[in-house]
Amino acid sequence: MITYIRLLALTSLFSITILGFSASANADVRIFACEPEWAALATEIGGGDVSIYTATHALQDPHHIQARPSLIARMRRADLVIATGAQLEIGWLPVLLRQSANPAVQPGKAGNLAAADYVSKMDVPSHVDRALGDIHPGGNPHIQTDPRNIAIVAGVLLRRLQQIDPSHANDYLARYNDFMQRWNTALQRWQQQAIPLHGLHILVYHKGWSYMMRWLGIIESDALEPVPGVPPTTSHLASLLAKLKQQPVSIIIYAAYQDSRAAEWLAGRANIKAVKLPFTVGGTDEASDLFGLYDDTIHRLLAASQGQSQ
Amino acid sequence: MMTIHSMITNDCQILISGSCLPLTQEKTVNRFLITTLSFILLACLNISATYAAEINNDNEINKLKKQLEQTRILLESMQKRLTHLEQQQKESTMAVVQPKPVPTANTPSTPMIATKAPQYAPPAAQSASLGSASSNAFNPDISAVLNGGYQAFTQPPSGFAIPGFPIGDAAGLGNRGLTLNESELDLASNIDNLFYGSLTVSLAPDGGANVEEAYLQTLNAPLGLTVKAGRFFSGIGYLNQFHAHHDDFIDRPLPNRAFLNTQFGDDGIQIRWLAPTDTFLELGGELYSGNAFPSGGGALRGQGTWDGFINAGGDMGYSQSWKAGISYLQTHAIDRNAFDAAGNTAGSFSGNSRLWLANMVWKWAPNGNPVNQNFRFQSEFFYRHEQGLFGTTTPNAAYLGKQFGWYSEGVYQFTPGWRIGLRHSELFANNSGASVTLGGILDSTGHRPRRDSFVLGFNNSEFSRIRLQLSRDNTQSKVDYQMGLQYIMLIGAHGAHQF
């Protein structure tokens, strides 16, 4: 009997607190963006009608984020969660979703958008084995390295925002049209600028650039990680160095969040350049928005490859 | 291959067919309802006019008037709703149809890279439903944990006891030499749109399976509530809810072993509420059968244990994050057995047991990126008040226990894959009553049980761990130096861990 009374007291305490909190509502669509590129895209299309929380920043490895209490608290009130998907966030997003007690953002709901679901993926493995490293069975999730994928996701995001917040449907549409106009202009500029990069052979730290390479016609010759997700080992770097003597490459690229030491070490031995790329919005000072991201990526690639030929 | 244009129009159609058809249907239904109600209303008016004269009772007339008024209000509200729906339909059609295709890289109007253009296909939009959905795509996450190693002690582990503490059956040390520890099988998956389910079966090395956890958890409960039911590890404290393979040390701290029989879990129900605040704030309560240590005997018709906890957490800048909480557990135990290290019953307790816990964890990772370096500090404090009867065969002598314990540990990953850790645990018992006999289980002999451990761990990937632990165990008055080597391997799809 005493237990019942306690349970009852506990329940009523809960309901009182809940009523107290639920009174404070905000008109904005609350967006929980798992990566900075989606936060930047949501800013372009959502403008003042949304408030955005970015779960990670460019100096974090999006594969390895801890399901911190702050992230759970932010997801609790989110109206829309934008993730990359394709298992990029497999180590933390499922925990956040399950702990968030937020029905609106569970998979399958309008409030759950996995960008990679709408893009045809590269590097889909025909055979999955952990001995091959931390591979993604659904294909390469790093879709944001090709700006044409951003355009596809922009269309998906527009419709989701219209669905979640129909009262501002026309505002979203106007911003989308404006963004796409600017994006297509920029796309042509980038493609013109990147002509000298076509056919370049490069080394990558992690197989995270497949989409960019396909876009710009760059050829990936190898990766510093022996298998995806396993940090470069000295023996693997030594074998790469030996291989570079036979098949030279122009540059080594690594993302802002990755340790530069392995890339710099190899670049120094092979007498080539190691270049840090922003990988996402905020990865470098210049990559302050989506346009800056690709401007700076191409600028850095060009600078490194030209420096090489001199 | 779909262009953005066709994608948008496709979706618009879906949206229109998804939302407008029901609207039209609803409208028809509403019209029908209104018509029907009008007839009823007219009929009512007729009836009332015919019989008004015959009805002397004012009450009857008033009742009819009231009914009429109600019908009128109903009609009005339905009319309003209809107008509103029509308006909405207009708006949604406007909003959805308007997206116009914008030229993109995919459309022929935009040139691909001009002169030396790579001849690769442009990226295609893919419908979310496409994918390799084979029949086993619905299989749950299935994983197994392999756990084994080697242990060495300078004192015989069969003589282990914690002076002043009546301990449960899982609080002792493991066996000497090469050992296989408990293997674990996990199945976990979303059951449907409402529930998540998880099953963990532990397999003892000498045979037999034990259901460690088997629970369902709600995914769609409103108001920030989450309900868990079944058998599960309690949310009290910090370390208790984690499976042992998550730990950075080979064994649990002394207070967890003394107060919670290493890990407290029972059959019951849990309700948690997450506050809608930017700072993490969580309230929880659990009700349990009361069969598991620190309870026993399933008192109060199988509802012998309950607890409550409150947790808060947040970030400090990009590099630091924290979580802290307090918990309270209360139970009524009937014949709770105390064990010696050999697994034999050494005593029995009946009475009330109350446990207070305070815990905090602080994590640091440069720029919030734990891949290369990270550090974690955690600490928990325990206070237990037990009152009742205790005896070696049956509970027959008075026992009042006031017991205190705490531990602190720090683990530092200094380079990818490698981490070192230090931990100190300490206990203190102040027991009184007729059951406290010289040299008996409840006699603390004025000794403070304590233990220091150092661990060196290596993770080749997040699925394989090997570690070496050295301990100075002063739980009893004679110091025991211990060495342990352990491997923990995760096979298969294992769910991510909590903070």
Side-chain angles (χ1 to χ4, degrees):
Chain A
M1 193 62 211
I2 295 165
T3 336
Y4 288 127
I5 294 166
R6 276 178 184 137
L7 207 65
L8 205 70
L10 209 69
T11 328
S12 41
L13 186 79
F14 274 153
S15 25
I16 290 163
T17 338
I18 290 158
L19 286 174
F21 275 106
S22 53
S24 59
N26 197 328
D28 287 352
V29 175
R30 283 202 195 80
I31 295 178
F32 181 102
C34 289
E35 286 85 24
E37 62 268 21
W38 308 130
L41 185 62
T43 311
E44 297 281 358
I45 296 169
D49 296 322
V50 299
S51 56
I52 301 163
Y53 176 73
T54 317
T56 64
H57 59 79
L59 297 181
Q60 287 176 310
D61 182 346
H63 301 85
H64 299 283
I65 300 295
Q66 292 179 309
R68 302 193 309 278
S70 57
L71 299 182
I72 297 171
R74 292 291 184 155
M75 191 173 279
R76 158 79 163 83
R77 284 193 295 167
D79 300 307
L80 173 64
V81 169
I82 312 175
T84 297
Q87 295 209 349
L88 175 67
E89 301 98 344
I90 189 80
W92 50 287
L93 190 58
V95 180
L96 295 183
L97 286 167
R98 218 161 47 238
Q99 300 288 317
S100 69
N102 183 350
V105 298
Q106 298 300 320
K109 298 285 180 67
N112 187 305
L113 198 168
D117 284 353
Y118 299 88
V119 173
S120 78
K121 283 165 288 295
M122 301 175 68
D123 308 337
V124 180
S126 55
H127 168 64
V128 180
D129 187 335
R130 285 259 166 76
L132 305 173
D134 201 357
I135 49 173
H136 302 280
N140 192 318
H142 308 290
I143 59 166
Q144 89 286 1
T145 57
D146 183 343
R148 296 172 301 179
N149 285 337
I150 298 287
I152 292 172
V153 180
V156 179
L157 180 59
L158 164 69
R159 291 192 304 281
R160 284 299 174 91
L161 286 171
Q162 288 183 330
Q163 198 178 345
I164 291 168
D165 181 21
S167 59
H168 291 107
N170 291 325
D171 301 329
Y172 295 127
L173 179 66
R175 281 190 217 100
Y176 168 79
N177 285 333
D178 174 57
F179 170 71
M180 290 304 287
Q181 215 92 54
R182 289 180 290 132
W183 198 247
N184 284 309
T185 314
L187 207 50
Q188 292 181 36
R189 185 177 75 237
W190 293 325
Q191 294 178 168
Q192 284 296 331
Q193 287 171 342
I195 287 171
L197 297 175
H198 178 47
L200 213 62
H201 287 255
I202 64 173
L203 267 180
V204 299
Y205 182 101
H206 174 72
K207 287 184 177 295
W209 307 93
S210 300
Y211 296 92
M212 180 186 82
M213 296 193 169
R214 181 176 64 176
W215 174 47
L216 299 177
I218 299 173
I219 297 147
E220 175 186 305
S221 60
D222 222 320
L224 300 194
E225 291 180 337
V227 293
V230 174
T233 56
T234 42
S235 59
H236 182 66
L237 290 180
S239 76
L240 280 178
L241 187 59
K243 202 176 143 193
L244 283 180
K245 301 241 160 73
Q246 263 85 55
Q247 301 163 300
V249 301
S250 307
I251 43 179
I252 304 174
I253 60 171
Y254 62 96
Y257 70 82
Q258 282 154 352
D259 196 346
S260 66
R261 283 177 297 183
E264 295 291 354
W265 182 89
L266 192 59
R269 299 287 146 111
N271 199 26
I272 49 175
K273 278 207 171 151
V275 54
K276 177 173 90 172
L277 296 183
F279 193 64
T280 182
V281 174
T284 57
D285 291 343
E286 294 81 8
S288 57
D289 62 6
L290 279 173
F291 293 89
L293 170 61
Y294 299 98
D295 276 334
D296 192 42
T297 300
I298 289 169
H299 173 77
R300 280 168 184 258
L301 284 172
L302 284 171
S305 65
Q306 279 155 10
Q308 194 54 40
S309 58
Q310 279 163 10
Chain B
M1 195 180 70
M2 283 161 77
T3 60
I4 295 213
H5 174 191
S6 64
M7 220 170 66
I8 288 173
T9 34
N10 267 4
D11 240 65
C12 293
Q13 279 159 4
I14 292 163
L15 267 175
I16 291 165
S17 59
S19 62
C20 300
L21 250 181
L23 274 180
T24 336
Q25 276 171 356
E26 212 168 337
K27 211 161 80 176
T28 327
V29 172
N30 285 341
R31 288 237 161 98
F32 173 71
L33 271 175
I34 289 167
T35 326
T36 324
L37 278 166
S38 311
F39 275 120
I40 296 169
L41 187 68
L42 281 173
C44 284
L45 279 170
N46 252 339
I47 292 162
S48 53
T50 321
Y51 294 104
E54 294 170 30
I55 297 165
N56 305 325
N57 198 332
D58 283 357
N59 286 344
E60 290 278 334
I61 292 173
N62 282 341
K63 218 191 250 171
L64 276 172
K65 271 185 185 167
K66 239 182 222 166
Q67 275 172 358
L68 270 174
E69 180 61 15
Q70 276 168 0
T71 323
R72 194 183 60 79
I73 290 169
L74 187 70
L75 274 172
E76 264 178 19
S77 76
M78 292 197 87
Q79 188 61 48
K80 255 186 211 160
R81 209 172 140 219
L82 184 63
T83 332
H84 179 68
L85 279 172
E86 276 172 350
Q87 184 61 30
Q88 255 191 355
Q89 186 193 6
K90 248 185 230 165
E91 277 174 11
S92 66
T93 319
M94 267 167 60
V96 171
V97 172
Q98 274 183 1
K100 285 277 180 319
V102 185
T104 72
N106 298 0
T107 57
S109 63
T110 313
M112 295 296 294
I113 298 176
T115 49
K116 294 153 80 181
Q119 295 306 307
Y120 296 99
Q126 176 178 305
S127 155
S129 59
L130 289 176
S132 54
S134 61
S135 60
N136 60 1
F138 279 121
N139 279 353
D141 287 350
I142 302 171
S143 65
V145 182
L146 304 181
N147 183 342
Y150 170 80
Q151 290 202 97
F153 308 95
T154 55
Q155 303 290 336
S158 57
F160 180 82
I162 308 177
F165 287 84
I167 54 174
D169 57 348
L173 302 165
N175 293 328
R176 264 178 165 160
L178 291 160
T179 53
L180 178 69
N181 302 329
E182 272 182 1
S183 309
E184 211 180 278
L185 278 174
D186 295 288
L187 295 180
S189 177
N190 285 345
I191 294 163
D192 54 19
N193 58 328
L194 295 184
F195 302 106
Y196 166 84
S198 173
L199 171 70
T200 305
V201 177
S202 75
L203 305 168
D206 46 0
N210 171 38
V211 177
E212 208 166 74
E213 283 198 296
Y215 65 84
L216 62 92
Q217 185 180 317
T218 60
L219 295 170
N220 254 333
L223 303 168
L225 294 169
T226 305
V227 178
K228 208 183 208 184
R231 179 179 296 178
F232 50 90
F233 292 130
S234 169
I236 58 167
Y238 173 72
L239 198 54
N240 188 70
Q241 62 190 309
F242 292 103
H243 284 252
H245 66 252
H246 161 272
D247 295 4
D248 280 312
F249 290 83
I250 289 180
D251 43 27
R252 288 272 153 116
L254 265 186
N256 292 66
R257 285 156 58 193
F259 294 118
L260 300 171
N261 195 23
T262 302
Q263 194 166 16
F264 170 60
D266 196 353
D267 305 347
I269 182 162
Q270 178 195 67
I271 303 175
R272 278 185 298 130
W273 176 68
L274 187 61
T277 50
D278 288 346
T279 302
F280 175 84
L281 180 66
E282 175 192 69
L283 296 178
E286 294 164 348
L287 181 65
Y288 286 112
S289 76
N291 283 309
F293 192 96
S295 191
L300 303 173
R301 296 176 303 281
Q303 300 150 68
T305 305
W306 72 273
D307 65 47
F309 52 85
I310 177 164
N311 288 313
D315 290 342
M316 291 180 285
Y318 282 126
S319 302
Q320 302 172 60
S321 49
W322 62 278
K323 190 178 172 187
I326 47 173
S327 326
Y328 173 73
L329 180 143
Q330 183 174 322
T331 183
H332 183 74
I334 300 171
D335 289 336
R336 180 188 82 199
N337 285 335
F339 293 85
D340 63 16
N344 301 317
T345 309
S348 186
F349 163 74
S350 284
N352 290 321
S353 179
R354 298 183 170 86
L355 179 67
W356 286 263
L357 292 108
N359 61 275
M360 64 85 70
V361 55
W362 173 78
K363 293 190 187 186
W364 170 85
N367 287 314
N369 188 18
V371 177
N372 298 318
Q373 276 108 44
N374 66 70
F375 178 75
R376 172 174 56 78
F377 176 82
Q378 81 190 48
S379 199
E380 293 190 71
F381 294 82
F382 300 70
Y383 176 74
R384 181 164 76 177
H385 183 279
E386 286 193 319
Q387 193 160 22
L389 298 171
F390 188 88
T392 46
T393 47
T394 50
N396 52 15
Y399 158 51
L400 173 65
K402 292 176 181 173
Q403 296 142 359
F404 173 73
W406 65 279
Y407 79 89
S408 287
E409 67 179 49
V411 177
Y412 176 49
Q413 180 184 309
F414 49 97
T415 190
W418 291 90
R419 56 186 70 180
I420 49 169
L422 275 175
R423 176 203 279 164
H424 176 79
S425 343
E426 203 163 316
L427 291 170
F428 183 70
N430 180 13
N431 301 331
S432 56
S435 61
V436 184
T437 54
L438 198 67
I441 290 173
L442 298 177
D443 180 14
S444 70
T445 65
H447 179 68
R448 264 174 189 267
R450 55 194 179 275
R451 190 161 188 267
D452 294 293
S453 299
F454 163 82
V455 74
L456 172 69
F458 169 67
N459 302 357
N460 178 53
S461 69
E462 53 201 298
F463 306 105
S464 64
R465 293 179 155 198
I466 299 169
R467 53 208 178 195
L468 166 72
Q469 182 176 310
L470 303 171
S471 304
R472 181 187 182 277
D473 192 331
N474 201 181
T475 304
Q476 300 176 89
S477 52
K478 253 186 184 168
V479 176
D480 184 12
Y481 292 95
Q482 303 165 346
M483 199 262 284
L485 264 170
Q486 188 190 33
Y487 63 81
I488 288 184
M489 305 280 148
L490 296 179
I491 304 173
H494 194 77
H497 287 120
Q498 280 172 255
F499 181 83

